[in-house]
Amino acid sequence: MTLRLTNTLTRAKADFVPLHEGMVSIYCCGVTVYDLCHLGHARSYIVWDVLRRYLIWLGYQVTFVQNYTDIDDKILARAAAEGSSMEAVSERNIEAFVTDMTALNILPADRMPRATRSLDAIRTLISDLEARGAAYSVDGDVYFAVLKHRGYGKLSGRDLAEQQDNASGRVASAEEGRKHHPFDFALWKGAKAGEPSFPSPWGPGRPGWHIECSAMVREVLGDTIDIHLGGADLIFPHHENEIAQSEAATGKELARWWLHNGMVNVGGEKMSKSLGNFTTIRALLELGVSPMTLRLFVLQAHYRKPLDFTAAALEAAATGWKGLNAALGVGRTYAHLLPWSESTAGDLAALPDDLAASKGRFIAAMDDDLNTAAAMGELFELARPLRALANRLQRRDIPGAADLAQGGRWRLLIELAGVLGLEPEQPRLPSLQGFRGDQATSGEPPTKAKPAASLVRNPTDVQSTTPVGFTLEGSPGEDIRALIERRKAAKAVRDFATADRIRDELRSQGIELIDRPGGSTEWLRR
RNA sequence: GGCGGCAUGGCCAAGUGGUAAGGCAGAGGAUUGCAAAUCCUUUACCCCCAGUUCGAAUCUGGGUGCCGCCUCCA
C-alpha cells in the first residue's frame, strides 16, 4: 500500500515518494495575523494536521514549517484603526492563533518563521533575482518580471499570452504604470510616509506578500521541499508567484507536491473575511461546540471538496461525535468492569482478522488521497460493538468473556482516531453534572466516572453555568437535588402525576432527568 | 472571457467499470410507570439525454444547474 496524493501541479493522483527516504519536508502557508481565525482556517489546518499525523504514523520523519505573515497592508490598516502598532496587532493575533490551534488539537509546527524575522533571507532572495535579471526596481519598489520566467502559470494553468489583461477590471491603476506586465508583482514595496519600514538596498520598505514564503522555505528547508500546502484560493496568484520566485532564483523545483484544500462555504458561498460571512473558531468554541466536533465536521468531507457550513451539519457532527466519544471512552468509563490496559504497545502487531481488516480499510482510505470520510466510516464501524457493550454495562450487565476480549478493538479505535487527531473528550463540565440518588444500592462507579455525554443539540442553545435555584409549587429556591428527592418519593407511592410535573418543570428550566435502572436518577443541564 | 471543480436517499457525505460506506434525521424494537438517554433493526438504482461495454453512479459526447480562482483571502 502506498499513499497517493493529488498534486495540483499535475492535477493527478500519484504515489507519494519523498525526496529522501523516510523523511518528509512540508511547508504550509500560514495566516496573515490581522484578525482572528475563522472556520475556513480551521478546516485547512485540521486537514493538514491530519496529513502530518498520518505521515508520522506511517513512520516518516516529518519536518513541518508554517509561517506567520506579520507584515501586511491589513495589519497596518488595523493598527491605524485602533491606534496601535503593527507589532501589537500581530502579537495579539499570533497568540490567538496559538490558542485556537491548540484547542483544535492541531500539532504545533516544528518551525514557525515570521516575515519580520526573515528579512535577511528575503533581501538575499530579491538580490539573487535581480542578479539573474528576473526582477527590476522602480523608484524603491522591486517587481518580479513574469515574462522573464519560463513556466509562469504552470500551477494554476494560466497562459500569459491568453490571459485577458485586467480581466477582473479591478487591478490597481497606480501600480500599473510602473509594472512591465500586469502580472508582475511586488517583491519589495518602498515605504510610504508614516509606514513602518525596513532598510534594503532599494531603500526603506517592506517585502511583498509572496516573497516571504519563498525566502522562508529556502532558509529553513532548502531549495526543494516535498510538499507545499495551502488553501485552494492561494493557487493563484500566491503559489504561482512563489514558484516563479523560487525557481527563478535557485533554478530548482520549489516543491514536488502541491496540495490544496477546498473552501468552507456558507449558503453556497465561500466563507471569507471580505464577504463578512465568517464564523471565528473562537465564537464556535464559546458557543459550546467541542473542538472534536469541529474536527469531525471537517474530516467527514474530502479535503479537496467545498464544505458547506450549516447549523444542521454542525449539529449532526456534534451528535456523531458524542457516539464516537462514548466508544472511545468505554475503557475508562467502565474501568471497574473492564480491566483493559490503555497501552497499545505490542497490541497492534497481532490483530485478530476482523480488526486487521478494519485497520487495513482505514489505511486504504487514508492512502487514497486522505479519504478521511471513508476512514471515519471505519471508525464508526469499529465503535459500534463498543457502544453496544457500553449499553449493556450501563444496564448493569456483567461483562462476559467476549466482552472482555474487546479490549483490542478499543485500543485500535483509539489508535486510529488518534491518527485523525480525535481524542476522547471529557464532557464539558458546565453542561453536564449529575449525582446518584442511591449511592448505597450497589458498587457502582463514583460520580465522576459517569458515561460521557453532552447534550449539545443546537450550539446556540447551549447554556453556560448558572446557579441552580429553581422554584416549584411554592417552594422557593429548592434545588435540583431536593426536587429529585421529592420526585422519587412521589414515584414510590405511584404518584406519577406529581413525578412527571417535577420532571417537566425541570425540563423547562433546561434540566433533563434520567432515571436509571435501580431507582437512581441523574440529571443533565443542556 | 480564461482556468479549475462539483452534481449520490429528508440532510451531510464516501464510492471512479461488477451491482450503492458512514454520520444525522425518520420509523420499528429493547429498556422505562410514562419519558429521556443508550443500544438493536431499518429506508437510495446515483441531475438530464445519447453513446461505449456482457455489465456504468463510476468511461465518452452533449445539455442543465451550482461553486472556486483570475483582487486580499485557508
Side-chain angles (χ1 to χ4, degrees), chain A residues 419-448:
Chain A
V419 174
L420 302 184
L422 294 170
E423 291 175 359
E425 233 173 17
Q426 286 302 115
R428 324 195 84 207
L429 289 175
S431 62
L432 171 69
Q433 296 178 42
F435 76 97
R436 301 274 173 175
D438 254 335
Q439 288 292 3
T441 49
S442 66
E444 53 184 273
T447 306
K448 282 179 185 167

Side-chain angles (χ1 to χ4, degrees), chain A residues 307-319:
Chain A
L307 173 62
D308 218 42
F309 172 59
T310 62
L314 201 58
E315 192 180 332
T319 314

Side-chain angles (χ1 to χ4, degrees), chain A residues 433-439 447 468-470 472 477-489 502 506 511 513 521-525:
Chain A
Q433 296 178 42
F435 76 97
R436 301 274 173 175
D438 254 335
Q439 288 292 3
T447 306
V468 181
F470 291 102
L472 186 76
E478 215 171 347
D479 75 0
I480 298 172
R481 179 184 294 263
L483 287 171
I484 288 176
E485 287 307 318
R486 281 182 53 186
R487 177 165 170 272
K488 189 182 170 193
I502 292 173
L506 282 173
I511 302 295
L513 295 187
T521 298
E522 296 168 9
W523 60 273
L524 300 166
R525 175 180 292 140

Side-chain angles (χ1 to χ4, degrees), chain A residues 158-487:
Chain A
R158 259 155 254 261
D159 181 345
L160 281 179
E162 282 179 10
Q163 286 299 309
Q164 221 185 335
D165 291 352
N166 248 348
S168 64
R170 278 184 284 167
V171 175
S173 54
E175 219 182 3
E176 285 317 287
R178 336 176 66 167
K179 296 203 282 190
H180 297 354
H181 183 101
F183 276 23
D184 285 356
F185 52 91
L187 298 170
W188 188 264
K189 299 179 180 180
K192 300 191 186 96
E195 280 182 355
S197 66
F198 306 88
S200 84
W202 314 279
R206 55 199 165 91
W209 175 34
H210 316 295
I211 194 70
E212 67 177 67
C213 289
S214 288
M216 291 171 185
V217 167
R218 191 186 192 189
E219 183 176 38
V220 180
L221 294 169
D223 288 345
T224 301
I225 63 173
D226 288 305
I227 305 175
H228 194 123
L229 306 171
D233 52 355
L234 296 183
I235 295 173
F236 189 90
H238 186 53
H239 289 165
E240 193 68 65
N241 291 351
E242 253 187 84
I243 290 176
Q245 291 165 343
S246 291
E247 300 190 355
T250 67
K252 293 176 191 162
E253 189 177 31
L254 171 58
R256 313 223 313 171
W257 295 79
W258 288 82
L259 270 49
H260 293 96
N261 64 276
M263 300 293 100
V264 171
N265 290 167
V266 181
E269 272 190 323
K270 175 183 165 184
M271 175 181 285
S272 73
K273 293 278 176 63
S274 42
L275 288 172
N277 60 350
F278 61 91
T279 307
T280 62
I281 296 169
R282 190 148 296 193
L284 287 168
L285 297 179
E286 280 170 2
L287 278 172
V289 179
S290 86
M292 292 301 130
T293 290
L294 241 29
R295 285 191 83 105
L296 188 141
F297 170 67
V298 163
L299 297 175
Q300 272 195 307
H302 186 82
Y303 77 89
R304 303 183 67 241
K305 285 193 179 182
L307 173 62
D308 218 42
F309 172 59
T310 62
L314 201 58
E315 192 180 332
T319 314
W321 168 244
K322 185 168 73 168
L324 197 54
N325 191 36
L328 287 165
V330 277
R332 282 189 203 168
T333 304
Y334 298 99
H336 57 297
L337 295 172
L338 303 169
W340 291 346
S341 160
E342 293 198 29
S343 163
T344 56
D347 191 57
L348 297 168
L351 289 171
D353 289 351
D354 60 328
L355 294 185
S358 205
K359 183 181 175 186
R361 284 190 295 270
F362 177 90
I363 292 173
M366 292 299 285
D367 275 351
D368 184 14
D369 200 22
L370 301 178
N371 189 343
T372 52
M376 195 89 75
E378 202 53 46
L379 254 41
F380 277 100
E381 291 292 335
L382 272 172
R384 183 169 293 127
L386 296 172
R387 294 166 68 172
L389 169 58
N391 182 253
R392 269 179 274 124
L393 298 179
Q394 179 190 302
R395 294 159 181 284
R396 313 203 174 175
D397 286 355
I398 306 298
D403 293 329
L404 295 175
Q406 299 275 26
R409 171 180 292 270
W410 179 59
R411 285 186 290 274
L412 180 62
L413 176 63
I414 288 178
E415 163 110 5
L416 299 184
V419 174
L420 302 184
L422 294 170
E423 291 175 359
E425 233 173 17
Q426 286 302 115
R428 324 195 84 207
L429 289 175
S431 62
L432 171 69
Q433 296 178 42
F435 76 97
R436 301 274 173 175
D438 254 335
Q439 288 292 3
T441 49
S442 66
E444 53 184 273
T447 306
K448 282 179 185 167
K450 282 178 82 271
S454 72
L455 293 174
V456 185
R457 294 227 145 181
N458 181 335
T460 57
D461 289 346
V462 175
Q463 302 294 314
S464 57
T465 355
T466 325
V468 181
F470 291 102
T471 305
L472 186 76
E473 291 174 9
S475 313
E478 215 171 347
D479 75 0
I480 298 172
R481 179 184 294 263
L483 287 171
I484 288 176
E485 287 307 318
R486 281 182 53 186
R487 177 165 170 272

